[in-house]
Amino acid sequence: MKRLFLLLALVLAMPTMAQVSVTDLKVNHLSAPEGLTDRTPSFSWILKGDTRGLMQSAYEVAVYKGGKCVWSSGKVKSENSLTVPYEGPELQSGTRYGWKVRVWDNKGKVSKWASSSWLTGLFSLEDWHAKWIEPKLQDDRSPIMRKEFSVNKSIASAVLHVTAHGLYEASINGKKVGDAHLTPGWTAYNKRLQYQTYDVTAMLAKGANAFGLELGYGWYHSRMCFRDRADRYMYNIHQVGAIAQIDITYTDGTKESITTDRSWKASTGEILHSTIYDGETIDARKAQQGWNCVGFDDSAWEQVAEASYSLGELTASESEPVVTRERVKPVKYFITPAGEKVLDFGQNLVGREVVKVNGKEGQEIVISHAEVLDEKGNFYTTNLRTAKAQTRYTCREGEQTFSTKFSWYGFRYLKVEGIEGDLNLDDFVAEVIFSDYPETGHFESSNSLVNHLQSNIKWGMRGNFVDVPTDCNQRDERMGWTGDAHVFFRTATFMGDVQNFFIKWLKDLALDQWPGGEITDLVPCIPGWMGAGRTGWADAGVTIPWQHYMAYGDKRVLENQYESMKRWIDFMFRNTQDFLWSSGWHYGDWLAYQAENDFGGRSAVTYRPLIQQCFMVHSAEQFIEAAKVLGKTRVAERYAATVEKCKKAFCEAYLTPRGHLVSSTQTAYVLALEFDMVPDEVRPTIAARLAENVREYGHLTTGFLGTPYLCHALSNNGYTELAYRILLHEGYPGWLYSVKMGGTTIWELWDSMKPDRTIPDTGMNSFNHYSKGAVGDWLYREAVGLKETSAGYKTFMVRPNPGGGFKYMGADKVTPYGRAAAKWYDEPGKFTLEVEVPANTTAEIYVPSPSVDAVTVDGVAVTSVADVKVVGKDGPYTKYVVGSGKYKFVANR
């Protein structure tokens, strides 16, 4: 009987028990980060539950240090689950803080506590006790440096802070610290240098310990940029060197710091040469086994030199590190017509190979890297220009495994020299490296070629998001071109959570910005590079912060970048005459369609001042919106008045009375439409001329600045089928051309390889160049129809644009509030739309249907479903508003 009463009590209690939970706890958008120096970090979480319409009504956050609560928000009535600020006592350097959160839903139910932690970096320069040290020997070899120290008491915590001029790999007692590559990363080295923080408590032993540092050249000391300027662009501010300290707190409360200083010793090891473009040369015979372990005899090593560099350049790392994200096995081994031994990994990727070999003393193995084979099937490296991109390895006797440590490559194929006989596929693996941002987006459709295109977009982003957004990843360039980042950013925000990746990069953009307001072509900008203030490139400094805010909902990025944004707008406005900006040299619609033997004027050349005017207005309008978000109403009003005058000047200068533009190109019409440059009454004429141009060519003709907006302009103005026709064009120029040619990433040129597989030697040809993958934004936000209507997807819409013969198409994305998804099926007699809305959000759903009466939700008439608010007709759609949950709308035709 007692058991029966207990069961009954549980049943009666079930409605009052928590059905809501909290997951994905983050501090400054990072999961359990180490090394934050934000004195007012922000907390975010995701609300989850099974009930429809689930919303947060209140939250409570508490922060702990050593098990003791140092701050609690108390119960706060709010729906906010993003960027809740810490408001407690001043945080301490090198300290681990725990935090927990619980929430109340809109039914009054409370969740269980969910907890996480973060580790602070060094808040003050006075917290640095270490000295910069440098090996006295400075040549191509990678230095190794070491120090032994003793720990004689029980340790409560041990925290390492470390950075380098060049690249570093730290080790304690023979084991690498952390899993990051290419640390400390690439920043505006003239202005700031990142350091990393690691919790190394578990790595220390009682008694003797060994602390090791190995250094590489990296971005800091390698030659950078183009072949005709091979010796011009280098940072090389200081010699390769390092600064590091381990701050130990003992259980008795005492503290000790193990620091870099003159007591360290230095030598060289097996890495004889290592640079960004040329690769790495390794001699295993010169390895000093156990050099970073206790008891190693370093009596023959040299004492290091101390250097008195300013510590003011040091800044805590705030974005995800570069790590190994995947391992890929080769799919094929073959010998080319030229007799080369080649491995095919089946995917153009970025990283490094790991090779097992049973070597002979002095045997040299050379691994070369290439993206493609030429028309004869031979190994092709011409497009690498002066980059050698080779791993050269000299064996010791016996079995051994080798890889690079401070260099990486873009490749699909490996050419292997120095190994006798056939190659064993099991002896090779490629480690794919890129920044450790979460991959958050997924797309699928009924068209296998478009699915392949989506894969190419993903792999192009992976290969070019290696600490900074680069243009390419294989040749003597790999720069952070602002134009590429600008046009691809919205696609990137769907594919991954790149909040911190771009927060870091945008800070360097502002630091490298010229005094007059010009934003540089490259970020970080290489010393000596003189390019700045170019339309479509410099606009990254405004467009990315604004789109970042809309994608992620944290207005601090606008606060951080506001002055930089304003200075760029002011530069453009200052350089107008009668509100027209036409001065300076600009890239224009870079890599637009060029017809061979162009006797008929088929090449799509867009007048560059027209492009300048469009982007000036577009950036200014985004700046105005940012100013409104930040409460700068008067600024917004003042700039809005100037924008209207600039639009009027555009129409007077570039628009004829009958609706022609002075450049009758797809890019000109696209920008006029998407940037709202013409009066409403002229838009249908402009859109019709765009459609006419597309039909006349039968393909796109746009370059860098027109391509991201082309399909948007068509579908937003009633020409969705033309947008699909452009997307599905399988010849040159078009996205599916490279897919049909076997490309596994996005190409730089529309015809990086000709139909006969010959490769044009243009001096600029990359087979992994992500910018043209910006079409992904149209696929996700317009074709599928999943896009935000307020910052961070607090509200969003699903408004599908079916067409192109697709039977189904779907996309899902992990938003700051959780997973949002949409998938449509276009079938004879009915249209089905499946939607998932995360908790704490609402969504507008647009169903292609002639009437509400023709629509059901989960098999029930939509008008009878309480969780669905019927709004009514909206053009060819019926509109509904829903809360969180999964819904299946069916429109019968």
Side-chain angles (χ1 to χ4, degrees):
M1 182 65 68
K2 184 182 295 185
R3 183 177 300 173
L4 181 61
F5 279 119
L6 179 60
L7 180 61
L8 180 62
L10 286 171
V11 170
L12 293 173
M14 282 181 67
T16 63
M17 292 175 67
Q19 295 178 0
V20 59
S21 62
V22 183
T23 65
D24 296 85
L25 275 63
K26 292 185 178 181
V27 183
N28 284 16
H29 316 303
L30 297 169
S31 299
E34 296 187 338
L36 292 187
T37 54
D38 187 346
R39 294 185 182 275
T40 56
S42 67
F43 306 108
S44 303
W45 56 87
I46 288 178
L47 188 69
K48 287 191 176 180
D50 295 330
T51 58
R52 280 183 172 175
L54 181 65
M55 297 289 288
Q56 177 183 294
S57 63
Y59 68 80
E60 183 178 4
V61 174
V63 174
Y64 290 79
K65 175 190 170 188
K68 180 180 179 182
C69 183
V70 296
W71 174 72
S72 173
S73 68
K75 184 178 180 180
V76 179
K77 292 184 178 180
S78 173
E79 290 183 2
N80 184 28
S81 58
L82 301 183
T83 62
V84 171
Y86 170 75
E87 297 176 337
E90 184 172 327
L91 300 172
Q92 297 179 358
S93 293
T95 302
R96 182 166 294 281
Y97 289 88
W99 73 284
K100 64 181 184 178
V101 59
R102 62 176 176 173
V103 302
W104 285 260
D105 70 10
N106 48 336
K107 304 295 184 182
K109 297 170 185 173
V110 62
S111 73
K112 294 181 179 180
W113 288 99
S115 61
S116 185
S117 68
W118 84 99
L119 179 64
T120 59
L122 299 177
F123 287 109
S124 169
L125 295 181
E126 285 71 35
D127 293 327
W128 279 99
H129 311 302
K131 302 292 185 182
W132 276 102
I133 59 172
E134 296 174 343
K136 295 176 182 178
L137 177 65
Q138 292 288 331
D139 55 22
D140 285 350
R141 291 176 289 174
S142 288
I144 51 178
M145 301 185 292
R146 72 183 306 274
K147 176 187 176 69
E148 290 195 23
F149 62 96
S150 293
V151 172
N152 298 316
K153 294 189 285 186
S154 296
I155 297 174
S157 68
V159 179
L160 167 65
H161 310 281
V162 56
T163 189
H165 291 149
L167 300 178
Y168 75 82
E169 186 173 287
S171 57
I172 293 176
N173 296 327
K175 295 182 179 179
K176 179 181 174 179
V177 176
D179 60 356
H181 309 305
L182 310 179
T183 47
W186 190 11
T187 50
Y189 289 138
N190 293 312
K191 316 287 193 321
R192 68 179 192 141
L193 176 67
Q194 290 185 137
Y195 70 88
Q196 281 74 42
T197 296
Y198 306 92
D199 187 332
V200 295
T201 307
M203 299 186 75
L204 297 183
K206 197 165 187 179
N209 291 266
F211 187 3
L213 291 169
E214 186 169 10
L215 306 182
Y217 275 33
W219 298 283
Y220 202 97
H221 286 277
S222 299
R223 65 179 176 92
M224 304 290 284
C225 229
F226 305 123
R227 57 180 177 182
D228 57 341
R229 302 164 185 168
D231 297 320
R232 180 177 175 186
Y233 298 123
M234 296 183 70
Y235 284 100
N236 206 24
I237 306 168
H238 309 302
Q239 294 187 86
V240 63
I243 185 171
Q245 68 185 47
I246 303 173
D247 291 330
I248 304 174
T249 300
Y250 295 106
T251 53
D252 63 5
T254 59
K255 298 184 178 182
E256 181 182 12
S257 291
I258 309 302
T259 66
T260 48
D261 54 26
R262 197 173 284 111
S263 66
W264 282 63
K265 287 191 170 184
S267 184
T268 57
E270 61 183 345
I271 300 177
L272 307 185
H273 176 87
S274 182
T275 57
I276 299 294
Y277 300 151
D278 293 336
E280 202 155 281
T281 300
I282 307 162
D283 189 338
R285 299 170 300 177
K286 298 183 180 298
Q288 300 200 45
Q289 300 294 334
W291 68 271
N292 51 4
C293 297
V294 171
F296 177 82
D297 182 6
D298 61 10
S299 58
W301 287 28
E302 292 187 327
Q303 185 181 29
V304 300
E306 283 187 5
S308 56
Y309 303 131
S310 169
L311 298 179
E313 64 180 349
L314 298 182
T315 183
S317 181
E318 57 191 339
S319 65
E320 296 89 348
V322 176
V323 299
T324 297
R325 299 290 300 268
E326 190 172 332
R327 288 172 173 82
V328 177
K329 293 289 294 181
V331 296
K332 183 181 180 182
Y333 160 64
F334 59 95
I335 297 177
T336 69
E340 305 150 320
K341 294 180 181 180
V342 173
L343 294 171
D344 178 6
F345 284 83
Q347 173 64 55
N348 195 358
L349 56 86
V350 172
R352 68 266 184 98
E353 72 284 355
V354 179
V355 182
K356 293 189 299 183
V357 62
N358 189 358
K360 298 178 181 178
E361 183 85 9
Q363 176 185 352
E364 185 181 42
I365 299 171
V366 180
I367 310 289
S368 301
H369 303 77
E371 297 183 286
V372 293
L373 305 174
D374 69 14
E375 69 276 13
K376 296 179 181 179
N378 292 318
F379 200 71
Y380 182 85
T381 57
T382 301
N383 69 316
L384 303 186
R385 301 191 299 214
T386 63
K388 294 178 183 177
Q390 288 183 329
T391 302
R392 307 184 71 91
Y393 181 79
T394 302
C395 299
R396 62 180 183 273
E397 191 68 30
E399 293 186 357
Q400 54 213 282
T401 300
F402 67 89
S403 181
T404 59
K405 188 172 291 186
F406 299 120
S407 193
W408 69 101
Y409 313 97
F411 65 98
R412 172 175 171 172
Y413 299 96
L414 295 182
K415 182 175 71 173
V416 181
E417 300 173 271
I419 296 180
E420 295 181 0
D422 289 336
L423 303 180
N424 183 353
L425 294 175
D426 292 335
D427 290 339
F428 295 83
V429 67
E431 292 188 339
V432 179
I433 69 167
F434 56 101
S435 290
D436 200 21
Y437 60 83
E439 293 189 304
T440 56
H442 174 72
F443 170 88
E444 62 175 329
S445 77
S446 58
N447 188 305
S448 60
L449 291 178
V450 174
N451 293 340
H452 194 149
L453 170 63
Q454 164 67 13
S455 175
N456 291 3
I457 294 171
K458 177 180 74 173
W459 280 95
M461 175 173 166
R462 287 175 163 188
N464 284 290
F465 277 41
V466 179
D467 200 62
V468 300
T470 57
D471 60 323
C472 61
N473 43 58
Q474 69 295 98
R475 67 185 182 218
D476 55 354
E477 193 166 350
R478 312 188 197 184
M479 299 288 103
W481 283 95
T482 47
D484 299 69
H486 174 201
V487 300
F488 188 76
F489 179 74
R490 276 317 308 249
T491 300
T493 62
F494 179 87
M495 300 289 290
D497 183 351
V498 292
Q499 294 184 77
N500 289 58
F501 182 87
F502 274 97
I503 286 171
K504 165 186 175 283
W505 187 76
L506 285 169
K507 287 185 177 181
D508 290 313
L509 180 147
L511 288 171
D512 279 334
Q513 190 170 5
W514 288 8
E518 303 97 313
I519 292 171
T520 53
D521 300 345
L522 312 175
V523 174
C525 193
I526 306 300
W529 181 267
M530 296 306 294
R534 319 293 197 198
T535 287
W537 275 248
D539 294 288
V542 174
T543 297
I544 291 180
W546 173 248
Q547 292 180 345
H548 190 291
Y549 167 69
M550 290 302 296
Y552 298 116
D554 186 352
K555 72 176 183 179
R556 290 182 300 176
V557 71
L558 300 180
E559 294 169 346
N560 293 339
Q561 301 301 131
Y562 176 79
E563 288 301 326
S564 172
M565 297 166 75
K566 184 175 182 295
R567 288 172 59 209
W568 170 236
I569 304 301
D570 289 343
F571 169 81
M572 289 189 287
F573 282 176
R574 279 198 314 272
N575 284 278
T576 60
Q577 185 172 359
D578 298 327
F579 299 100
L580 285 173
W581 183 33
S582 58
S583 61
W585 184 89
H586 299 266
Y587 296 104
D589 194 27
W590 188 250
L591 299 181
Y593 174 68
Q594 297 288 325
E596 296 182 4
N597 301 318
D598 192 16
F599 301 113
R602 300 286 291 169
S603 296
V605 179
T606 307
Y607 187 46
R608 292 186 180 187
L610 181 152
I611 296 174
Q612 289 174 241
Q613 192 77 0
C614 289
F615 274 90
M616 176 178 67
V617 167
H618 184 54
S619 288
E621 289 191 324
Q622 291 176 317
F623 170 71
I624 290 165
E625 292 304 311
K628 291 177 183 177
V629 170
L630 298 178
K632 301 179 185 293
T633 307
R634 291 184 179 179
V635 172
E637 291 173 350
R638 188 169 73 251
Y639 281 77
T642 302
V643 162
E644 289 308 308
K645 294 174 182 177
C646 292
K647 286 186 178 182
K648 182 180 178 182
F650 174 89
C651 293
E652 291 172 348
Y654 305 127
L655 177 66
T656 73
R658 295 193 177 186
H660 287 277
L661 293 175
V662 295
S663 283
S664 186
T665 64
Q666 291 175 18
T667 290
Y669 291 123
V670 162
L671 297 182
L673 290 167
E674 283 299 290
F675 294 173
D676 196 24
M677 300 298 295
V678 296
D680 289 344
E681 61 270 19
V682 182
R683 288 185 65 89
T685 302
I686 295 293
R689 297 205 187 284
L690 170 62
E692 180 184 4
N693 186 292
V694 170
R695 292 191 189 103
E696 178 188 352
Y697 278 93
H699 57 72
L700 58 76
T701 64
T702 51
F704 253 52
L705 300 185
T707 298
Y709 309 103
L710 174 58
C711 289
H712 290 274
L714 289 168
S715 60
N716 289 340
N717 290 278
Y719 296 98
T720 295
E721 279 304 324
L722 272 183
Y724 275 111
R725 188 185 304 180
I726 288 288
L727 171 72
L728 298 175
H729 181 65
E730 296 181 10
Y732 160 78
W735 291 285
L736 298 189
Y737 171 73
S738 61
V739 172
K740 295 279 285 188
M741 292 293 293
T744 61
T745 42
I746 300 296
W747 292 355
E748 179 175 19
L749 311 177
W750 290 118
D751 61 344
S752 284
M753 179 180 287
K754 300 292 185 181
D756 63 0
R757 307 202 69 81
T758 57
I759 301 169
D761 182 14
T762 64
M764 185 186 72
N765 193 358
S766 161
F767 291 88
N768 193 348
H769 218 92
Y770 67 97
S771 51
K772 288 186 172 71
V775 70
D777 182 50
W778 180 80
L779 285 171
Y780 320 135
R781 298 207 304 149
E782 299 297 340
V784 174
L786 178 64
K787 59 182 174 182
E788 80 286 351
T789 54
S790 64
Y793 289 80
K794 177 65 173 172
T795 62
F796 65 94
M797 69 164 60
V798 177
R799 189 182 180 117
N801 278 288
F806 283 81
K807 294 179 180 179
Y808 67 87
M809 186 182 292
D812 61 83
K813 170 183 169 54
V814 180
T815 76
Y817 293 93
R819 183 179 184 267
K823 188 174 184 179
W824 54 257
Y825 300 84
D826 197 0
E827 303 168 280
K830 69 176 181 178
F831 182 88
T832 304
L833 178 60
E834 297 175 351
V835 176
E836 181 176 351
V837 180
N840 213 23
T841 70
T842 57
E844 298 172 352
I845 311 300
Y846 294 80
V847 180
S849 172
S851 71
V852 172
D853 295 335
V855 179
T856 61
V857 178
D858 303 330
V860 180
V862 69
T863 52
S864 64
V865 180
D867 299 316
V868 179
K869 178 182 177 182
V870 181
V871 178
K873 289 284 289 181
D874 189 308
Y877 296 86
T878 53
K879 179 182 175 181
Y880 312 90
V881 176
V882 301
S884 68
K886 296 181 180 181
Y887 303 84
K888 183 177 181 178
F889 292 82
V890 178
N892 295 309
R893 294 170 174 169

